[in-house]
Amino acid sequence: MLPRVLHSFSLVRLAFSRQNQLLHSPVKIPPQFVLLSSKSFQTPIYNRHKSFTTCTMDSGVIAVIGTTGVGKSNLSIQLAKELNGEVINGDALQVYKGLDIITNKMPIEEREGVEHHLMDFLPMESEYTVLDFKADALQLIKDIHGRKHIPVVVGGTHYYIQSLLWRDTTLDTKKNVGTLSITQAQEETRANEAFLRESDTATLYKKLQEVDPLMANKWHENDRRKITRSLQVFFETGQCQSDLIKKQHAVADNERLRMPTCIFWVYSAPDVLNARLDARVDVMIKGGLFDEIQGMRKSVGSDTDYERGIWQAIGYKEFDPYFSALEKAVASNELTDTAELEALKVECTETMKTKTRQYAKRQVLWIRNKLLPLCKEKDVKIFLLDATLLDTWKENVGNVAVKIAKDFFASRPLPSPESLNQYAKDMLVAQRDLDAVSALESWEKKECKICTDMQRIMHDKYGKGASEESPAPVIIHGPTSWEQHLRSRQHRKYKTNQTEMERDGSNWWFFRAQEFKKRKREGTLNEMRVIEDDKIVGADGNPTDEEGSSSSESASKLRRTSLTTSKDVSKE
């Protein structure tokens, strides 16, 4: 029986040179354990027709987006070969030299002679921003068009691609330093950076309230990252971030999209994709991931910011506990093959897999929350291609994309994006409204009175002493967070408790204690907690059991029984 192939889209592909043979053999390999190779579904190289080198839309581009590990690079190469194109990398981490494994670069021998730009050129210690990418990519597109070729932009850093295609999505206004000398401007920059780095979050939030009240109202007072970003914009541009957002959205509709664009979203069902991503992590480790991480650790400086540049790569931070323990053992001349170290390595591996799956989920959310609304507003077609089953890749992804791209550049009619497959029909729905200015101006913080009151009641009942401060109000930021809060387990629990307290009065505490003791006696306390966690919300907002009856009604049976055997504790 043929072995299951665990293979990466962008890693150690040539170690599996026989994979193409295996995939086309009579024995079927479970697709959830196979990661696509760029050669697995290779189609014949078509003659490059003149119509595509002198197309009527020679200013247009193709963009290939999607989650990590879904096959974007493979599709970009096929499109570039069919359409006489050149690939522009749109991944924020693949710009760095070396580190091919942790950044999942496609090896040169797998690129099939297709020219790739903005890949593998930046030193590890450098930082590459979205503004750098936009400037470089725009110049490259101009050069590629000059060669009568078609630019194919591919990557999973979707805000890079978004900033390239639309004019109003990045804050790139530079501050007018006026009469300041270069030295004075540098000193001011250093002072601002020191303020952002050394101040506590409360101080930063107070400063943001002074300079940009609208953004301060939008961010949570403990969200240091977003508060810092808004202050950075103010320090770097001399303008409030909220004012810049308003100016960006004041751009005329017909000027926002920079160039005619055809977007392909390579998509896989989450359960299948997650299995592939887990398998890819294992392959990365076998292929030399640890060597790359150890090399990176030797380059760490005292001022390294782990939230920027290459240090954001998934795998580096996740394996820090393991390598810190390993280095400590080596320095102490202790054994490095202990069960404790092995267990720590397994734990870090699982953390990396979890973070990778979470990142893929965030990438889908970005597409639906950010890109889709822009596409709908500007009537830009985004075609979702179903890459769930690898044995149908050629029919569902490669051939479909090539035909659509050829029709696009020949100005022929295009199919409805929703008609391509069921996932397209389900997923090509914008999750949010695009009107960022209205959303910003109407953004409000809401206090959940139910949660605030219940927390204070519990504090007054169980607080260690009267000197302890009462809990702060429960403040929810923005409409989406408010909806999530109303569905949250904590809110539902407090709402149920409040309803019961209003009905039972001071007896509620007694009933609660009796219920707790009964469950503990029966050994079902943990069981009941699990059941409570899984309850559904009924029409009245209270958790319900599977039959639809309110949990408060179910619990009241015990309370009514207690009433017949106990005195009225309200007088105690």
Side-chain angles (χ1 to χ4, degrees):
M1 183 175 180
L2 290 175
R4 290 176 175 174
V5 182
L6 300 179
H7 193 44
S8 171
F9 283 106
S10 53
L11 165 67
V12 295
R13 287 185 176 87
L14 52 151
F16 296 92
S17 58
R18 292 185 65 247
Q19 183 178 345
N20 192 35
Q21 260 182 320
L22 296 176
L23 286 169
H24 289 85
S25 67
V27 181
K28 294 292 183 181
I29 299 174
Q32 63 267 34
F33 292 107
V34 183
L35 289 178
L36 184 65
S37 165
S38 65
K39 294 181 180 178
S40 298
F41 300 99
Q42 189 172 338
T43 55
I45 302 176
Y46 289 81
N47 293 326
R48 291 170 178 167
H49 300 290
K50 187 176 180 181
S51 59
F52 297 109
T53 57
T54 57
C55 60
T56 57
M57 298 180 69
D58 58 354
S59 60
V61 300
I62 294 173
V64 180
I65 62 173
T67 64
T68 182
V70 80
K72 300 184 299 294
S73 298
N74 302 83
L75 180 60
S76 69
I77 287 175
Q78 184 173 354
L79 287 167
K81 290 178 66 177
E82 296 284 355
L83 299 166
N84 201 16
E86 300 178 32
V87 173
I88 299 175
N89 167 52
D91 186 291
L93 299 183
Q94 292 186 3
V95 299
Y96 291 97
K97 289 181 180 177
L99 306 175
D100 295 353
I101 297 173
I102 199 169
T103 61
N104 289 293
K105 287 178 195 159
M106 176 170 279
I108 293 176
E109 58 270 19
E110 295 286 328
R111 300 175 194 173
E112 303 186 34
V114 173
E115 185 74 28
H116 280 63
H117 304 279
L118 297 185
M119 183 177 283
D120 203 41
F121 70 93
L122 199 67
M124 187 191 306
E125 63 274 8
S126 301
E127 186 177 344
Y128 196 69
T129 69
V130 63
L131 301 180
D132 297 325
F133 168 78
K134 184 175 66 173
D136 290 344
L138 285 173
Q139 182 59 51
L140 279 168
I141 289 172
K142 182 179 178 181
D143 295 343
I144 293 170
H145 282 151
R147 292 191 285 272
K148 300 299 182 181
H149 291 180
I150 292 176
V152 181
V153 185
V154 58
T157 309
H158 295 134
Y159 71 94
Y160 271 28
I161 296 177
Q162 181 174 312
S163 72
L164 174 64
L165 301 180
W166 282 274
R167 285 189 173 87
D168 61 350
T169 55
T170 54
L171 303 176
D172 53 359
T173 304
K174 295 298 181 183
K175 185 175 182 179
N176 182 2
V177 296
T179 58
L180 291 180
S181 66
I182 294 177
T183 303
Q184 288 174 319
Q186 290 175 341
E187 289 176 356
E188 184 180 279
T189 299
R190 282 195 292 268
N192 290 335
E193 289 176 349
F195 172 75
L196 295 174
R197 184 175 60 252
E198 298 168 7
S199 300
D200 57 41
T201 305
T203 302
L204 295 178
Y205 188 70
K206 185 177 179 181
K207 178 67 174 178
L208 184 59
Q209 286 178 312
E210 294 173 2
V211 300
D212 195 347
L214 275 178
M215 297 309 297
N217 182 60
K218 182 172 183 179
W219 305 141
H220 192 283
E221 55 267 27
N222 294 330
D223 195 336
R224 184 182 182 91
R225 184 180 65 83
K226 291 180 180 177
I227 293 168
T228 300
R229 176 55 186 152
S230 293
L231 286 173
Q232 281 177 333
V233 171
F234 175 74
F235 290 147
E236 292 173 5
T237 68
Q239 301 179 65
C240 300
Q241 186 179 10
S242 55
D243 289 341
L244 290 173
I245 290 173
K246 292 176 184 177
K247 289 178 181 178
Q248 287 177 329
H249 286 264
V251 176
D253 285 351
N254 60 353
E255 297 176 2
R256 294 179 72 182
L257 187 67
R258 282 196 172 92
M259 62 202 84
T261 305
C262 181
I263 303 177
F264 294 109
W265 176 6
V266 187
Y267 179 83
S268 174
D271 55 341
V272 176
L273 177 64
N274 289 340
R276 293 179 192 165
L277 295 177
D278 287 349
R280 187 178 70 175
V281 171
D282 294 330
V283 175
M284 291 170 72
I285 292 173
K286 292 177 182 177
L289 175 65
F290 288 176
D291 291 337
E292 285 192 355
I293 293 177
Q294 287 176 313
M296 293 174 70
R297 291 174 71 86
K298 293 176 183 176
S299 302
V300 173
S302 58
D303 58 346
T304 299
D305 186 347
Y306 296 102
E307 299 301 321
R308 309 182 77 159
I310 188 60
W311 311 106
Q312 302 173 85
I314 296 175
Y316 181 79
K317 295 189 296 295
E318 286 69 27
F319 275 100
D320 182 68
Y322 169 70
F323 283 107
S324 295
L326 183 65
E327 290 163 3
K328 184 178 179 182
V330 170
S332 306
N333 292 321
E334 298 174 357
L335 295 175
T336 58
D337 58 351
T338 63
E340 290 81 3
L341 275 175
E342 184 62 28
L344 189 55
K345 181 167 71 171
V346 171
E347 182 182 336
C348 292
T349 301
E350 290 305 312
T351 301
M352 181 177 176
K353 290 179 179 179
T354 300
K355 290 295 180 66
T356 303
R357 295 193 301 269
Q358 291 172 344
Y359 176 58
K361 186 176 181 179
R362 290 197 303 273
Q363 287 176 303
V364 172
L365 288 176
W366 182 281
I367 293 173
R368 300 191 74 186
N369 293 341
K370 303 287 187 178
L371 283 177
L372 273 181
L374 281 169
C375 291
K376 296 290 184 182
E377 184 190 69
K378 301 304 162 199
D379 198 26
V380 176
K381 292 189 183 298
I382 177 169
F383 297 95
L384 185 147
L385 306 171
D386 181 7
T388 303
L389 300 177
L390 298 185
D391 53 0
T392 59
W393 168 274
K394 182 177 179 180
E395 296 80 7
N396 293 344
V397 180
N399 292 351
V400 174
V402 168
K403 183 180 186 311
I404 290 174
K406 288 181 177 181
D407 289 342
F408 173 77
F409 283 100
S411 299
R412 290 192 290 261
L414 301 176
S416 167
E418 292 79 7
S419 68
L420 294 185
N421 51 69
Q422 185 58 46
Y423 289 122
K425 187 180 296 184
D426 297 338
M427 299 297 293
L428 292 178
V429 178
Q431 293 287 80
R432 292 183 182 175
D433 186 6
L434 184 63
D435 194 348
V437 176
S438 298
L440 182 63
E441 292 178 339
S442 62
W443 189 276
E444 61 178 343
K445 301 177 181 179
K446 289 186 179 181
E447 177 185 357
C448 181
K449 292 291 292 180
I450 292 175
C451 294
T452 297
D453 293 346
M454 287 303 300
Q455 283 190 5
R456 289 176 177 171
I457 288 171
M458 295 298 177
H459 173 269
D460 294 342
K461 180 72 176 177
Y462 298 111
K464 294 180 180 179
S467 60
E468 290 190 10
E469 293 184 5
S470 181
V474 177
I475 305 298
I476 310 301
H477 294 245
T480 302
S481 296
W482 178 253
E483 292 298 324
Q484 292 172 347
H485 174 75
L486 294 181
R487 295 192 301 269
S488 70
R489 185 180 306 154
Q490 185 78 347
H491 176 81
R492 287 155 41 197
K493 172 185 167 186
Y494 279 150
K495 186 172 182 180
T496 299
N497 290 348
Q498 187 184 67
T499 302
E500 293 171 350
M501 291 179 76
E502 291 173 352
R503 184 190 62 219
D504 299 335
S506 56
N507 286 330
W508 183 82
W509 298 100
F510 174 77
F511 296 149
R512 189 77 170 176
Q514 293 300 307
E515 188 174 345
F516 180 86
K517 290 176 183 177
K518 181 176 183 293
R519 292 180 185 177
K520 190 174 182 180
R521 215 170 30 246
E522 295 172 347
T524 59
L525 186 59
N526 291 333
E527 225 174 274
M528 294 300 292
R529 283 176 178 167
V530 171
I531 292 172
E532 284 180 0
D533 288 347
D534 291 337
K535 287 210 172 102
I536 354 175
V537 178
D540 59 352
N542 287 320
T544 62
D545 55 32
E546 288 184 354
E547 297 178 357
S549 60
S550 172
S551 62
S552 58
E553 292 173 7
S554 303
S556 68
K557 294 178 182 178
L558 174 62
R559 298 190 179 93
R560 285 196 292 269
T561 303
S562 299
L563 273 173
T564 62
T565 58
S566 65
K567 60 183 178 179
D568 185 356
V569 296
S570 62
K571 296 178 182 178
E572 292 186 352

